[in-house]
């Protein structure tokens, strides 16, 4: 029996990790990593207030080859948290980084 997991790419901003992957052609992000970038407690239920298509639980491969279950957020779920639920002026820069650098890098790797 094989277990399906998502391979993630590791991106760093200000020394903090953000794991991301494409599921189909859509970017998804490890919610715990995004919470750290936003300065949000890991105990916050990040999926509350999001639509069901903006989050999912998934198995992702960690750095040492281990697999762990993580809450994953879609691109729109990510923006929803940054702009609506946990707004801070710095989040504009984070959104630009995700939109202009991270996502194009994910897609370019998939196309290769």
């Amino acid at each position: 029996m094989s277990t399906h997991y998502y391979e993630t790419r590791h991106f760093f901003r200000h020394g903090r990790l953000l794991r991301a992957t494409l599921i189909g052609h859509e970017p998804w992000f490890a919610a715990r990593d995004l919470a750290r970038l936003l300065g949000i407690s890991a105990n916050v239920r990040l999926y509350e207030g999001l639509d069901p298509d903006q989050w999912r639980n998934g198995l992702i491969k960690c750095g040492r080859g281990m697999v762990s279950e993580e809450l994953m957020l879609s691109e729109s779920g990510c923006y929803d948290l940054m702009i609506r639920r946990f707004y801070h002026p710095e989040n504009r820069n984070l959104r630009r980084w995700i939109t202009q650098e991270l996502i194009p890098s994910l897609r370019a790797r998939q196309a290769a």
Side-chain angles (χ1 to χ4, degrees):
M1 181 173 146
S2 68
T3 302
H4 178 72
Y5 61 87
Y6 301 108
E7 293 275 350
T8 59
R9 295 226 10 238
H10 295 180
F11 297 89
F12 293 90
R13 182 170 173 80
H14 304 301
R16 293 188 178 157
L17 172 68
L18 178 57
R19 291 168 292 172
T21 190
L22 291 176
I23 299 176
H25 297 289
E26 300 303 318
W28 287 78
F29 307 92
R32 184 174 19 178
D33 300 346
L34 183 61
R36 275 191 218 109
L37 283 169
L38 294 171
I40 301 167
S41 167
N43 296 326
V44 173
R45 294 181 188 192
L46 295 174
Y47 60 86
E48 286 184 353
L50 294 178
D51 291 333
D53 65 335
Q54 293 180 304
W55 67 275
R56 66 171 60 188
N57 287 309
L59 296 173
I60 62 173
K61 191 171 183 181
C62 301
R64 290 181 226 110
M66 298 172 59
V67 175
S68 67
E69 185 172 3
E70 296 279 343
L71 175 66
M72 303 292 290
L73 301 175
S74 68
E75 182 179 3
S76 69
C78 172
Y79 297 145
D80 193 292
L81 288 183
M82 288 190 292
I83 296 166
R84 189 177 60 85
R85 284 191 58 203
F86 300 102
Y87 177 75
H88 185 277
E90 167 59 19
N91 293 354
R92 288 181 179 170
N93 294 325
L94 179 59
R95 180 194 52 78
R96 283 186 199 112
W97 175 69
I98 289 171
T99 302
Q100 296 173 5
E101 295 179 37
L102 189 152
I103 292 173
S105 177
L106 272 177
R107 289 194 171 131
R109 185 166 184 184
Q110 184 183 44

